[in-house]
Every structure is written in C-alpha cells, then in structure tokens.
Amino acid sequence: MTPEGPAAERRYEPVIGLEIHVQLRTRTKMFCGCALSFGEEPNTRTCPICLGHPGTLPAVNAEAVHFGLMIALALECDLAERSVFHRKNYFYPDLPKGYQISQYDVPLARNGVLGDVRIHRVHLEEDAAKLVHAGSSGRLHGAEASVVDFNRGGTPLVEIVTEPDIRSAAEAAEWGRLLRATLRATGVSDVNMEEGSLRVDANVSIRPAGESTYGTKAELKNMNSFRFLERGIEAELARQEAIVRDGAEVEQETLHFDPQTGALTPLRSKEYAHDYRYFPEPDLVPVAPTEEMVSRARGALPELPAARAGRLEADRGLPPETARLLAFRAELGDYYEAALAADGDVDPRALASWVTNDLQARLGDGEDPARSSVEPAALARLVAMVGERRISQSAAKEVLDVLAAEGGDPEAIASERSLEMAGGDEIAQVVERALEQNADAVEQVRAGNQKAIGAIVGAVMRETKGRADGGEVQRLIRERIEA
Ligand code: ADP
Ligand code: ZN
Ligand code: MG
C-alpha cells in the first residue's frame, strides 16, 4: 500500500503499560538497619551492608514485607507462597555491590487489578544511591566530576508492573492518579513524584486499529508528574505514528522526555540492552508470608479510593466523575462526608457539586479544605438553604465568598447582608412593576413568543438583586399574563 492510499487514513491505537517504583516509608532500609534519609548530609545514613562491603550479610526488613503485602492486597494480587530474591547485575557508581537485590521469576505477587488495568506483578527491591553531577565545581584532576550520596542506596522499593491495558495518554494519567491515591490511602509511601518517592515509566506502542498483536514499544523513563506523563506519552505516540506513516519501523529504545522543550531523546537502544545475569541471592531466604502476616496486612488497609468512589456513587447517587474526584482526593472526600454528616437536610448531590466546584475554586491549588475557614457544617447549611429556596444560587455564592474569607455562619451572613430570598409579597410587587415597565415584552409573550418572558424575569432579578427564585418568578409572571 502506498502512503497516499488507505494507510494514510489508517487509525492507530495506542497501547500503554506502566512500571511504577514506590519508595516505602519504612523506618529502616531494605536489608540493613540504616535509617531512611530525608535530605540529611550526604553519606551519613550508611553502613557496611548498604555500602556493599565484602563479607556483610543482608537481612530482609519485615516492615518492608508488610508494606509490600499491603500494596499487593490493595491491588487484589495473588500472593506468592515463597517469593525469591535475585541479584540483578550491572556496574554503575550508584550501585556499590555491582548488583541490585530485586525479585525476578517469583515476585511477591502477581495477577492483580486496579480499576480497568490489570497488574502483571508486584515485587520488592532496593533503591540505588544517588549520583550528583558536580560539574566543573567538582573538578577532579581537571575533569568535571560526579559524586555519590549513598544515603538513598538500599531504600526499600516496591515495583508495580501493569499489563499493557491502557489505551490513551489521558487514561494513563487518570489511572496513575488512581494508583497514587490508592497508595497514599495505604500510608506505605509519601508518593511524591517530584521528590522521587513515586517514579513512573511508560511503555508505549501503537498498532493499526483492530489489530490484536502489539507493536514494538519504546519506554519513557521517570516522568515526575502525571501531567508530564500524559504529555510525554502524547509526544511519543505522535513520534511513532510519524515513523509508521513514513513506512519505517519503530525501534525498541528507552527515551527521556523533556517537559520544558517537549523533546524526546534516546537514552539507550535495544542493542545496548542490559543482560543483567540474574541469579538467586544466596544470602537471603525466600519471603514466605504466614497467614498471620497476610491478615495483618489486610487488616491494615483502609477503605481504598476505588471502593470509596463506588460507595459514593451507589449510596449518595453521585455522578461517577464527581465520586471519583472526591475519592481520589481523600481530603475532599473526607470534607464532603463530614459536611454530609453535619446536616441531615442537605442534598448529597448538590453538596458534592458545591464541594468539587465552588469550594474547590475558592481554595489554593491542592489546598486541604479542612484548613480553609469554611466549616463543613457551614457549607452543608448553605447548600441546604439553597435547597430550601431560602437563598438563590448566586446569593449563596456570595455567602461562600464571605465564608472562605472569614468563616462564620451562613444564616447570619445571609441575613446581615440581606441575601435571603425576597418574601412572597415583595416578589409579587416587584413582578407587578416589572410587568408595567415591560409592556412590550408582555405583548410579545401574549402573541406567543415565549422567549420574551426572559426580559421580564431579568427585570425582577435585577430589582431583587438575585434574591428571587427564577423558576418561581417565571411562574408568577405567566400566571399574571395568562390571567
Ligand atoms: P520487557 O521484557 O521489555 O521488560 P515486559 O513484557 O516485562 O517487557 O513489559 C514491561 C512493561 O511494558 C509492562 O508494563 C507491559 O505492560 C508493557 N508492555 C509490554 N509490551 C508492550 C507493548 N507492545 N506496548 C506497550 N507496552 C508494553
Ligand atoms: Zn546500611
Ligand atoms: Mg520488564
């Protein structure tokens, strides 16, 4: 087929799988007693074991196994009865032993699922140290130098590998956020992408729509936000499509995405792929979780975001997107449920919309609503007042502005500022005046132009400064015109 033929119009389907490294928030490192490091002086959290001195023996951190089991159970995996540690051999200055202790053919867990994406495997390993490129300031014998900080070396990691079930860049980011929310709920990690406690690699390929086999994938390394992950995948999909439309083939390689420039630069190609010469770690026994360990891990899991979203949808009648928003951002969900508990009269759907739209818009980016001056009970009361038609939507937004600025009681604020709905008598008088002043519009409505009623309603709303209920005003106007 020529490029001008059907191939030019052919649609390509993205196929994406993610590999995620999660730094565990244990007290000590994976195989030694060193405390984890949070920005301490370089090389102050080290010992002969994590520095890889000959003759030292690693011992598995029980807390890391516990956290690993929690993650595996949160992802509904099958647990291995005896998972095995292997040595993954390669030479790099950040790896003093010359190998990383990881898991290979028998990982801690397999065959899980989160949302719409299957989990291929979950395994335990140790983090490498950190190379700091000191540049010319670190010149050594005239050359630019790099130095190593071994504090991070040996930090416990869980690696999560998905099946290639994701079909768009946006879905990858959305699923990544679900995973992060799930991990955050378990409390086993800080899950901070900027600080590297959550690191995401994306495997990306395309195939002609309808095809069942996969194309050759490229791997995007270490995206440090889900926004960048989405943009990186978009860029890579575009690059691959251009290659294929040119009649060429995608090569298997590892790429770096620069979010500043949007450029994709190759890190290594298949020809230079590592042969890690995995072999069983002779110094460690397999991890064989007892029933007691498994039930302790299960018992330590809170309600997870996917379950919470389902519950909010089913029990509160929330639209799926709203339920997900509240469940994926636990602080919003907690606020919502506190508000719901505080006022029995509030409509759960209306309240959810106020929390996710109006309240969120008045918070700083990512700010915890619990820290705002809007008490959950106050927001619930305000939304209930709207439901009881004691205040209009627009007046309620004014009250929310005041609550967000200085806190307080919505009833008091509404009455101090005369924002409550006008009473029936007052509205009737205003409607009467509006009919007199808009005689033209009245004529048009009588002549069958229903849209003309808008001008009269508008006049009433202006006069009452929005303290009237639009629907009710329309009803009154119609009643008077048709009388
Ligand atoms: P490798 O042996 O190259 O590491 P794996 O089969 O272990 O490849 O898969 C690694 C990751 O790549 C997984 O997340 C998997 O879902 C994903 N993956 C595998 N094949 C493809 C493909 N053709 N397109 C996109 N992602 C893929
Ligand atoms: Zn150590
Ligand atoms: Mg692999």
mmCIF file of all heavy atoms in Angstrom, residues 27-73:
data_model
loop_
_atom_site.group_PDB
_atom_site.id
_atom_site.type_symbol
_atom_site.label_atom_id
_atom_site.label_comp_id
_atom_site.label_asym_id
_atom_site.label_seq_id
_atom_site.Cartn_x
_atom_site.Cartn_y
_atom_site.Cartn_z
ATOM 1 N N ARG A 27 10.947 2.472 58.594
ATOM 2 C CA ARG A 27 11.882 3.167 59.489
ATOM 3 C C ARG A 27 13.312 2.989 58.985
ATOM 4 O O ARG A 27 14.118 3.905 59.033
ATOM 5 C CB ARG A 27 11.759 2.622 60.916
ATOM 6 C CG ARG A 27 10.611 3.236 61.714
ATOM 7 C CD ARG A 27 10.692 2.874 63.177
ATOM 8 N NE ARG A 27 11.112 1.493 63.387
ATOM 9 C CZ ARG A 27 12.330 1.130 63.751
ATOM 10 N NH1 ARG A 27 13.252 2.037 63.974
ATOM 11 N NH2 ARG A 27 12.621 -0.156 63.907
ATOM 12 N N THR A 28 13.610 1.763 58.512
ATOM 13 C CA THR A 28 14.991 1.476 58.113
ATOM 14 C C THR A 28 15.034 0.956 56.679
ATOM 15 O O THR A 28 14.011 0.671 56.074
ATOM 16 C CB THR A 28 15.609 0.412 59.048
ATOM 17 O OG1 THR A 28 14.764 -0.737 59.037
ATOM 18 C CG2 THR A 28 15.729 0.950 60.475
ATOM 19 N N LYS A 29 16.243 0.785 56.182
ATOM 20 C CA LYS A 29 16.432 0.360 54.789
ATOM 21 C C LYS A 29 16.035 -1.107 54.569
ATOM 22 O O LYS A 29 15.721 -1.826 55.502
ATOM 23 C CB LYS A 29 17.895 0.591 54.384
ATOM 24 C CG LYS A 29 18.282 2.075 54.290
ATOM 25 C CD LYS A 29 19.695 2.246 53.738
ATOM 26 C CE LYS A 29 20.078 3.723 53.645
ATOM 27 N NZ LYS A 29 21.465 3.880 53.112
ATOM 28 N N MET A 30 16.091 -1.516 53.306
ATOM 29 C CA MET A 30 15.579 -2.833 52.909
ATOM 30 C C MET A 30 16.355 -3.990 53.530
ATOM 31 O O MET A 30 15.765 -4.993 53.924
ATOM 32 C CB MET A 30 15.643 -2.941 51.367
ATOM 33 C CG MET A 30 14.970 -4.155 50.783
ATOM 34 S SD MET A 30 13.184 -4.104 50.969
ATOM 35 C CE MET A 30 12.825 -5.826 51.246
ATOM 36 N N PHE A 31 17.681 -3.864 53.588
ATOM 37 C CA PHE A 31 18.474 -5.017 54.033
ATOM 38 C C PHE A 31 19.459 -4.682 55.144
ATOM 39 O O PHE A 31 20.349 -5.469 55.444
ATOM 40 C CB PHE A 31 19.242 -5.626 52.844
ATOM 41 C CG PHE A 31 18.329 -6.093 51.739
ATOM 42 C CD1 PHE A 31 18.312 -5.458 50.504
ATOM 43 C CD2 PHE A 31 17.465 -7.169 51.939
ATOM 44 C CE1 PHE A 31 17.471 -5.883 49.487
ATOM 45 C CE2 PHE A 31 16.620 -7.602 50.932
ATOM 46 C CZ PHE A 31 16.611 -6.962 49.701
ATOM 47 N N CYS A 32 19.347 -3.487 55.733
ATOM 48 C CA CYS A 32 20.248 -3.129 56.838
ATOM 49 C C CYS A 32 19.494 -2.248 57.822
ATOM 50 O O CYS A 32 18.334 -1.924 57.610
ATOM 51 C CB CYS A 32 21.496 -2.405 56.317
ATOM 52 S SG CYS A 32 21.129 -0.780 55.610
ATOM 53 N N GLY A 33 20.160 -1.858 58.896
ATOM 54 C CA GLY A 33 19.483 -1.098 59.950
ATOM 55 C C GLY A 33 19.578 0.403 59.799
ATOM 56 O O GLY A 33 19.152 1.149 60.686
ATOM 57 N N CYS A 34 20.139 0.892 58.687
ATOM 58 C CA CYS A 34 20.259 2.337 58.500
ATOM 59 C C CYS A 34 18.873 2.982 58.403
ATOM 60 O O CYS A 34 17.984 2.444 57.747
ATOM 61 C CB CYS A 34 21.012 2.660 57.215
ATOM 62 S SG CYS A 34 22.747 2.246 57.275
ATOM 63 N N ALA A 35 18.762 4.159 59.039
ATOM 64 C CA ALA A 35 17.508 4.896 58.923
ATOM 65 C C ALA A 35 17.374 5.442 57.500
ATOM 66 O O ALA A 35 18.377 5.709 56.840
ATOM 67 C CB ALA A 35 17.498 6.053 59.913
ATOM 68 N N LEU A 36 16.117 5.579 57.026
ATOM 69 C CA LEU A 36 15.912 6.203 55.718
ATOM 70 C C LEU A 36 16.339 7.666 55.803
ATOM 71 O O LEU A 36 16.352 8.260 56.864
ATOM 72 C CB LEU A 36 14.440 6.134 55.300
ATOM 73 C CG LEU A 36 13.869 4.761 55.022
ATOM 74 C CD1 LEU A 36 12.606 4.875 54.193
ATOM 75 C CD2 LEU A 36 14.864 3.870 54.301
ATOM 76 N N SER A 37 16.660 8.215 54.644
ATOM 77 C CA SER A 37 17.209 9.564 54.618
ATOM 78 C C SER A 37 16.215 10.543 54.021
ATOM 79 O O SER A 37 15.563 10.250 53.013
ATOM 80 C CB SER A 37 18.486 9.546 53.784
ATOM 81 O OG SER A 37 18.970 10.851 53.630
ATOM 82 N N PHE A 38 16.052 11.692 54.650
ATOM 83 C CA PHE A 38 15.209 12.749 54.090
ATOM 84 C C PHE A 38 16.025 14.033 54.046
ATOM 85 O O PHE A 38 15.865 14.914 54.884
ATOM 86 C CB PHE A 38 13.935 12.916 54.918
ATOM 87 C CG PHE A 38 13.077 11.687 54.913
ATOM 88 C CD1 PHE A 38 13.191 10.738 55.934
ATOM 89 C CD2 PHE A 38 12.182 11.441 53.880
ATOM 90 C CE1 PHE A 38 12.415 9.590 55.918
ATOM 91 C CE2 PHE A 38 11.409 10.293 53.861
ATOM 92 C CZ PHE A 38 11.522 9.358 54.880
ATOM 93 N N GLY A 39 16.937 14.086 53.102
ATOM 94 C CA GLY A 39 17.740 15.297 52.920
ATOM 95 C C GLY A 39 18.833 15.506 53.958
ATOM 96 O O GLY A 39 19.270 16.632 54.181
ATOM 97 N N GLU A 40 19.277 14.450 54.629
ATOM 98 C CA GLU A 40 20.391 14.608 55.567
ATOM 99 C C GLU A 40 21.689 14.875 54.800
ATOM 100 O O GLU A 40 21.765 14.702 53.590
ATOM 101 C CB GLU A 40 20.574 13.340 56.413
ATOM 102 C CG GLU A 40 19.621 13.218 57.595
ATOM 103 C CD GLU A 40 18.225 12.830 57.165
ATOM 104 O OE1 GLU A 40 18.081 12.341 56.018
ATOM 105 O OE2 GLU A 40 17.288 13.015 57.967
ATOM 106 N N GLU A 41 22.716 15.250 55.545
ATOM 107 C CA GLU A 41 24.057 15.383 54.968
ATOM 108 C C GLU A 41 24.378 14.123 54.164
ATOM 109 O O GLU A 41 24.117 13.012 54.640
ATOM 110 C CB GLU A 41 25.091 15.472 56.106
ATOM 111 C CG GLU A 41 25.289 16.862 56.659
ATOM 112 C CD GLU A 41 25.950 17.758 55.638
ATOM 113 O OE1 GLU A 41 27.111 17.497 55.279
ATOM 114 O OE2 GLU A 41 25.284 18.716 55.178
ATOM 115 N N PRO A 42 24.976 14.280 52.977
ATOM 116 C CA PRO A 42 25.321 13.093 52.181
ATOM 117 C C PRO A 42 26.172 12.097 52.970
ATOM 118 O O PRO A 42 27.014 12.496 53.783
ATOM 119 C CB PRO A 42 26.109 13.673 51.005
ATOM 120 C CG PRO A 42 25.639 15.082 50.895
ATOM 121 C CD PRO A 42 25.302 15.530 52.282
ATOM 122 N N ASN A 43 25.889 10.829 52.714
ATOM 123 C CA ASN A 43 26.694 9.726 53.266
ATOM 124 C C ASN A 43 26.730 9.672 54.785
ATOM 125 O O ASN A 43 27.729 9.273 55.383
ATOM 126 C CB ASN A 43 28.107 9.763 52.679
ATOM 127 C CG ASN A 43 28.062 9.575 51.169
ATOM 128 O OD1 ASN A 43 27.435 8.624 50.680
ATOM 129 N ND2 ASN A 43 28.668 10.485 50.431
ATOM 130 N N THR A 44 25.613 10.079 55.411
ATOM 131 C CA THR A 44 25.501 9.938 56.861
ATOM 132 C C THR A 44 24.549 8.811 57.240
ATOM 133 O O THR A 44 24.386 8.501 58.408
ATOM 134 C CB THR A 44 24.975 11.236 57.509
ATOM 135 O OG1 THR A 44 23.741 11.601 56.865
ATOM 136 C CG2 THR A 44 25.983 12.371 57.348
ATOM 137 N N ARG A 45 23.877 8.213 56.243
ATOM 138 C CA ARG A 45 22.947 7.113 56.515
ATOM 139 C C ARG A 45 23.465 5.860 55.802
ATOM 140 O O ARG A 45 22.858 5.387 54.858
ATOM 141 C CB ARG A 45 21.546 7.463 55.984
ATOM 142 C CG ARG A 45 20.879 8.603 56.692
ATOM 143 C CD ARG A 45 20.277 8.109 58.003
ATOM 144 N NE ARG A 45 19.332 9.068 58.551
ATOM 145 C CZ ARG A 45 19.658 9.988 59.457
ATOM 146 N NH1 ARG A 45 20.893 10.074 59.902
ATOM 147 N NH2 ARG A 45 18.752 10.811 59.935
ATOM 148 N N THR A 46 24.613 5.415 56.216
ATOM 149 C CA THR A 46 25.227 4.281 55.535
ATOM 150 C C THR A 46 25.839 3.327 56.548
ATOM 151 O O THR A 46 26.079 3.701 57.692
ATOM 152 C CB THR A 46 26.371 4.741 54.597
ATOM 153 O OG1 THR A 46 27.370 5.386 55.382
ATOM 154 C CG2 THR A 46 25.873 5.685 53.517
ATOM 155 N N CYS A 47 26.057 2.094 56.101
ATOM 156 C CA CYS A 47 26.729 1.106 56.929
ATOM 157 C C CYS A 47 27.427 0.127 55.976
ATOM 158 O O CYS A 47 27.219 0.201 54.760
ATOM 159 C CB CYS A 47 25.733 0.377 57.836
ATOM 160 S SG CYS A 47 24.683 -0.791 56.946
ATOM 161 N N PRO A 48 28.254 -0.770 56.493
ATOM 162 C CA PRO A 48 28.960 -1.693 55.580
ATOM 163 C C PRO A 48 28.015 -2.482 54.683
ATOM 164 O O PRO A 48 28.378 -2.814 53.544
ATOM 165 C CB PRO A 48 29.722 -2.613 56.541
ATOM 166 C CG PRO A 48 29.956 -1.756 57.751
ATOM 167 C CD PRO A 48 28.714 -0.905 57.887
ATOM 168 N N ILE A 49 26.785 -2.773 55.145
ATOM 169 C CA ILE A 49 25.878 -3.577 54.309
ATOM 170 C C ILE A 49 25.408 -2.761 53.106
ATOM 171 O O ILE A 49 25.550 -3.205 51.952
ATOM 172 C CB ILE A 49 24.663 -4.077 55.129
ATOM 173 C CG1 ILE A 49 25.139 -5.030 56.225
ATOM 174 C CG2 ILE A 49 23.646 -4.768 54.218
ATOM 175 C CD1 ILE A 49 24.042 -5.487 57.170
ATOM 176 N N CYS A 50 24.876 -1.554 53.334
ATOM 177 C CA CYS A 50 24.361 -0.802 52.175
ATOM 178 C C CYS A 50 25.487 -0.154 51.375
ATOM 179 O O CYS A 50 25.244 0.336 50.270
ATOM 180 C CB CYS A 50 23.268 0.186 52.581
ATOM 181 S SG CYS A 50 23.721 1.411 53.798
ATOM 182 N N LEU A 51 26.693 -0.167 51.902
ATOM 183 C CA LEU A 51 27.831 0.289 51.097
ATOM 184 C C LEU A 51 28.459 -0.872 50.331
ATOM 185 O O LEU A 51 29.419 -0.685 49.585
ATOM 186 C CB LEU A 51 28.882 0.958 51.986
ATOM 187 C CG LEU A 51 28.488 2.343 52.532
ATOM 188 C CD1 LEU A 51 29.539 2.861 53.498
ATOM 189 C CD2 LEU A 51 28.271 3.337 51.399
ATOM 190 N N GLY A 52 27.928 -2.071 50.547
ATOM 191 C CA GLY A 52 28.371 -3.211 49.756
ATOM 192 C C GLY A 52 29.747 -3.738 50.120
ATOM 193 O O GLY A 52 30.440 -4.302 49.267
ATOM 194 N N HIS A 53 30.141 -3.563 51.361
ATOM 195 C CA HIS A 53 31.442 -4.123 51.750
ATOM 196 C C HIS A 53 31.420 -5.645 51.669
ATOM 197 O O HIS A 53 30.401 -6.263 51.985
ATOM 198 C CB HIS A 53 31.808 -3.690 53.178
ATOM 199 C CG HIS A 53 32.119 -2.230 53.281
ATOM 200 N ND1 HIS A 53 32.748 -1.684 54.366
ATOM 201 C CD2 HIS A 53 31.880 -1.208 52.419
ATOM 202 C CE1 HIS A 53 32.882 -0.382 54.172
ATOM 203 N NE2 HIS A 53 32.364 -0.063 53.010
ATOM 204 N N PRO A 54 32.536 -6.237 51.252
ATOM 205 C CA PRO A 54 32.580 -7.705 51.159
ATOM 206 C C PRO A 54 32.378 -8.338 52.534
ATOM 207 O O PRO A 54 32.799 -7.779 53.548
ATOM 208 C CB PRO A 54 34.004 -7.988 50.652
ATOM 209 C CG PRO A 54 34.541 -6.694 50.171
ATOM 210 C CD PRO A 54 33.816 -5.609 50.878
ATOM 211 N N GLY A 55 31.704 -9.476 52.518
ATOM 212 C CA GLY A 55 31.558 -10.230 53.771
ATOM 213 C C GLY A 55 30.384 -9.822 54.627
ATOM 214 O O GLY A 55 30.120 -10.443 55.649
ATOM 215 N N THR A 56 29.653 -8.776 54.225
ATOM 216 C CA THR A 56 28.483 -8.383 55.019
ATOM 217 C C THR A 56 27.259 -9.151 54.540
ATOM 218 O O THR A 56 27.189 -9.604 53.397
ATOM 219 C CB THR A 56 28.204 -6.873 54.885
ATOM 220 O OG1 THR A 56 28.096 -6.546 53.499
ATOM 221 C CG2 THR A 56 29.326 -6.058 55.520
ATOM 222 N N LEU A 57 26.276 -9.292 55.426
ATOM 223 C CA LEU A 57 25.083 -10.072 55.094
ATOM 224 C C LEU A 57 23.825 -9.213 55.180
ATOM 225 O O LEU A 57 23.600 -8.540 56.183
ATOM 226 C CB LEU A 57 24.930 -11.248 56.070
ATOM 227 C CG LEU A 57 25.835 -12.456 55.827
ATOM 228 C CD1 LEU A 57 25.606 -13.500 56.929
ATOM 229 C CD2 LEU A 57 25.573 -13.063 54.455
ATOM 230 N N PRO A 58 22.993 -9.250 54.124
ATOM 231 C CA PRO A 58 21.721 -8.534 54.176
ATOM 232 C C PRO A 58 20.696 -9.316 55.000
ATOM 233 O O PRO A 58 20.794 -10.536 55.117
ATOM 234 C CB PRO A 58 21.298 -8.499 52.710
ATOM 235 C CG PRO A 58 21.890 -9.747 52.116
ATOM 236 C CD PRO A 58 23.180 -10.000 52.863
ATOM 237 N N ALA A 59 19.729 -8.611 55.582
ATOM 238 C CA ALA A 59 18.587 -9.266 56.237
ATOM 239 C C ALA A 59 17.337 -8.507 55.815
ATOM 240 O O ALA A 59 17.348 -7.269 55.748
ATOM 241 C CB ALA A 59 18.747 -9.219 57.755
ATOM 242 N N VAL A 60 16.265 -9.238 55.498
ATOM 243 C CA VAL A 60 15.068 -8.585 54.950
ATOM 244 C C VAL A 60 14.331 -7.786 56.026
ATOM 245 O O VAL A 60 14.117 -8.269 57.136
ATOM 246 C CB VAL A 60 14.120 -9.639 54.337
ATOM 247 C CG1 VAL A 60 12.814 -8.987 53.889
ATOM 248 C CG2 VAL A 60 14.780 -10.323 53.149
ATOM 249 N N ASN A 61 13.957 -6.585 55.685
ATOM 250 C CA ASN A 61 13.196 -5.698 56.559
ATOM 251 C C ASN A 61 11.734 -6.171 56.619
ATOM 252 O O ASN A 61 11.012 -6.141 55.618
ATOM 253 C CB ASN A 61 13.284 -4.281 55.980
ATOM 254 C CG ASN A 61 12.538 -3.249 56.798
ATOM 255 O OD1 ASN A 61 11.625 -3.583 57.557
ATOM 256 N ND2 ASN A 61 12.920 -1.997 56.641
ATOM 257 N N ALA A 62 11.302 -6.599 57.806
ATOM 258 C CA ALA A 62 9.953 -7.156 57.960
ATOM 259 C C ALA A 62 8.882 -6.100 57.664
ATOM 260 O O ALA A 62 7.820 -6.417 57.116
ATOM 261 C CB ALA A 62 9.761 -7.706 59.375
ATOM 262 N N GLU A 63 9.167 -4.848 58.015
ATOM 263 C CA GLU A 63 8.183 -3.784 57.776
ATOM 264 C C GLU A 63 7.995 -3.572 56.264
ATOM 265 O O GLU A 63 6.879 -3.333 55.797
ATOM 266 C CB GLU A 63 8.648 -2.489 58.448
ATOM 267 C CG GLU A 63 7.568 -1.428 58.518
ATOM 268 C CD GLU A 63 8.071 -0.111 59.126
ATOM 269 O OE1 GLU A 63 9.297 0.136 59.115
ATOM 270 O OE2 GLU A 63 7.219 0.654 59.595
ATOM 271 N N ALA A 64 9.100 -3.703 55.495
ATOM 272 C CA ALA A 64 9.003 -3.555 54.037
ATOM 273 C C ALA A 64 8.150 -4.684 53.449
ATOM 274 O O ALA A 64 7.347 -4.462 52.531
ATOM 275 C CB ALA A 64 10.385 -3.539 53.403
ATOM 276 N N VAL A 65 8.321 -5.894 53.977
ATOM 277 C CA VAL A 65 7.495 -7.012 53.504
ATOM 278 C C VAL A 65 6.024 -6.736 53.825
ATOM 279 O O VAL A 65 5.137 -6.918 52.977
ATOM 280 C CB VAL A 65 7.951 -8.350 54.139
ATOM 281 C CG1 VAL A 65 6.986 -9.476 53.788
ATOM 282 C CG2 VAL A 65 9.373 -8.692 53.695
ATOM 283 N N HIS A 66 5.778 -6.243 55.043
ATOM 284 C CA HIS A 66 4.404 -5.903 55.446
ATOM 285 C C HIS A 66 3.804 -4.866 54.486
ATOM 286 O O HIS A 66 2.674 -5.038 53.989
ATOM 287 C CB HIS A 66 4.440 -5.375 56.884
ATOM 288 C CG HIS A 66 3.130 -4.873 57.412
ATOM 289 N ND1 HIS A 66 2.001 -5.669 57.499
ATOM 290 C CD2 HIS A 66 2.762 -3.646 57.858
ATOM 291 C CE1 HIS A 66 0.998 -4.944 57.993
ATOM 292 N NE2 HIS A 66 1.434 -3.714 58.212
ATOM 293 N N PHE A 67 4.555 -3.802 54.210
ATOM 294 C CA PHE A 67 4.066 -2.764 53.292
ATOM 295 C C PHE A 67 3.869 -3.344 51.882
ATOM 296 O O PHE A 67 2.904 -3.015 51.188
ATOM 297 C CB PHE A 67 5.039 -1.586 53.244
ATOM 298 C CG PHE A 67 5.002 -0.703 54.470
ATOM 299 C CD1 PHE A 67 5.886 0.375 54.594
ATOM 300 C CD2 PHE A 67 4.096 -0.930 55.502
ATOM 301 C CE1 PHE A 67 5.850 1.204 55.710
ATOM 302 C CE2 PHE A 67 4.059 -0.111 56.632
ATOM 303 C CZ PHE A 67 4.942 0.965 56.730
ATOM 304 N N GLY A 68 4.800 -4.199 51.456
ATOM 305 C CA GLY A 68 4.677 -4.812 50.137
ATOM 306 C C GLY A 68 3.406 -5.653 50.047
ATOM 307 O O GLY A 68 2.690 -5.612 49.036
ATOM 308 N N LEU A 69 3.123 -6.388 51.108
ATOM 309 C CA LEU A 69 1.899 -7.197 51.132
ATOM 310 C C LEU A 69 0.664 -6.296 51.097
ATOM 311 O O LEU A 69 -0.323 -6.602 50.420
ATOM 312 C CB LEU A 69 1.865 -8.091 52.382
ATOM 313 C CG LEU A 69 2.887 -9.239 52.411
ATOM 314 C CD1 LEU A 69 2.873 -9.935 53.786
ATOM 315 C CD2 LEU A 69 2.602 -10.261 51.300
ATOM 316 N N MET A 70 0.732 -5.179 51.822
ATOM 317 C CA MET A 70 -0.416 -4.243 51.792
ATOM 318 C C MET A 70 -0.673 -3.756 50.366
ATOM 319 O O MET A 70 -1.824 -3.718 49.908
ATOM 320 C CB MET A 70 -0.156 -3.042 52.717
ATOM 321 C CG MET A 70 -0.298 -3.372 54.190
ATOM 322 S SD MET A 70 0.167 -1.956 55.241
ATOM 323 C CE MET A 70 -1.154 -0.803 54.847
ATOM 324 N N ILE A 71 0.398 -3.387 49.663
ATOM 325 C CA ILE A 71 0.226 -2.923 48.275
ATOM 326 C C ILE A 71 -0.345 -4.043 47.410
ATOM 327 O O ILE A 71 -1.294 -3.851 46.643
ATOM 328 C CB ILE A 71 1.570 -2.422 47.696
ATOM 329 C CG1 ILE A 71 1.994 -1.138 48.412
ATOM 330 C CG2 ILE A 71 1.465 -2.190 46.188
ATOM 331 C CD1 ILE A 71 3.354 -0.589 47.972
ATOM 332 N N ALA A 72 0.231 -5.252 47.550
ATOM 333 C CA ALA A 72 -0.228 -6.382 46.741
ATOM 334 C C ALA A 72 -1.708 -6.667 46.987
ATOM 335 O O ALA A 72 -2.468 -6.931 46.051
ATOM 336 C CB ALA A 72 0.620 -7.613 47.054
ATOM 337 N N LEU A 73 -2.131 -6.581 48.239
ATOM 338 C CA LEU A 73 -3.540 -6.856 48.562
ATOM 339 C C LEU A 73 -4.432 -5.710 48.078
ATOM 340 O O LEU A 73 -5.536 -5.945 47.581
ATOM 341 C CB LEU A 73 -3.719 -7.069 50.066
ATOM 342 C CG LEU A 73 -3.081 -8.347 50.624
ATOM 343 C CD1 LEU A 73 -3.092 -8.341 52.155
ATOM 344 C CD2 LEU A 73 -3.795 -9.595 50.092
#
